[in-house]
Amino acid sequence: MPVFGGWLRNVPDEGMAASWAYARQLAQDSERWGYSLSLLAELNLNDIKGVDQPALDAWSTAAALAAVTESLELMVAVRPNFHHPALFAKAAANIDQISGGRLALNVVSSWWADEARQYGLQFDQHDDRYARTAEWLTVVDGLWSQDRFSFDGRFYRTEDAICAPKPAHHPVIYAGGESDKAKAMIAAQCDAYVMHGDPAAAIAPKIADMATRRAALNKPPMRYGMAAYAIVRDSEAEARRELARITTVSELPAGYANFDQWLSGTQLERELKIQEYSVSNRGLRPDLVGTPEQLKERIAEYEAAGLDLLLLQMSPQAEEMERFAAQVMGTA
């Protein structure tokens, strides 16, 4: 869901406003086109267009979308240092009831120090972020699964807390991370592992590693998802021209302001390039750029590698999603 008004740091106006009207229409249309899930990112500052630009609040938007959609799974990002787990469990359970059991969580251990400082919130160092997330998930799960729940931890404390009504179902817990601390926490406490974009040859060993970690804990298999930016055109040359348009960088626009800070706050497996940063979440690495037949072949490679879910960014989102559904999915 383009809650930041788009995905492209080099294109100021992508024709999709960060507005409730656009989000509602896109969610309803995406159901009709055959999409099964929408991810709503959670940042109070706009990471794509610049911090002074509008960004929709994830959780109030999710509650509203829950009431005006019928089948779309709503995977909503949540950052533990921004939400007390007991209060969050109560609110999220209500949203899941509104949606009829379509809520999912994308648990994100925050990386943006400036944002936390602006909002007066705690910002932990890398390993502490995952320690906090582990406690946070324990409290949320306890309130969703037990009549009363008490917890006394390093970061959180509850005493005979009640969450009623419970969620309509236990929301699927998605999370991502590339450090060993992150992977250990996700294998132990989450249901699905989501990754930034990479070629299929790089995704396959990540899936194998997480599957091994999961099996060692005697837990059921996980789901695996990946972010990707998609460009589908009638010819490869046309698709490559569009790729050149969106990645051309002359002077760094406002969306690049926190590039260095983001790199310093993460433990990526290899350095990002400035050109890659023109699209978020390493979306260009999967190279979903080309004709419908080429995209189908590449997606099949990911499926063979064990991937279950593609989280697709496109621009302009509505027009490109409809095109992708018609030409690649065959559903629109």
Side-chain angles (χ1 to χ4, degrees), residues 40-79:
L40 284 80
E42 182 187 51
L43 286 174
N44 296 302
L45 303 178
N46 193 320
D47 178 44
I48 304 295
K49 300 301 183 184
V51 296
D52 58 340
Q53 297 302 306
L56 292 183
D57 171 70
W59 282 92
S60 56
T61 302
L65 289 175
V68 299
T69 52
E70 297 179 355
S71 61
L72 199 66
E73 183 179 354
L74 300 170
M75 186 211 293
V76 192
V78 57
R79 295 172 298 163

Side-chain angles (χ1 to χ4, degrees), residues 22 25-36 317-326 329-332:
Y22 190 90
Q25 190 63 56
L26 185 63
Q28 292 173 335
D29 286 342
S30 67
E31 289 186 323
R32 181 165 51 85
W33 294 328
Y35 292 90
S36 58
Q317 191 91 357
E319 292 85 346
E320 294 299 321
M321 280 179 68
E322 185 174 18
R323 185 204 300 259
F324 187 95
M329 295 161 56
T331 55

Side-chain angles (χ1 to χ4, degrees), residues 5 11-17 22 315-319:
V11 180
D13 185 1
E14 299 175 59
M16 43 178 169
Y22 190 90
S315 179
Q317 191 91 357
E319 292 85 346

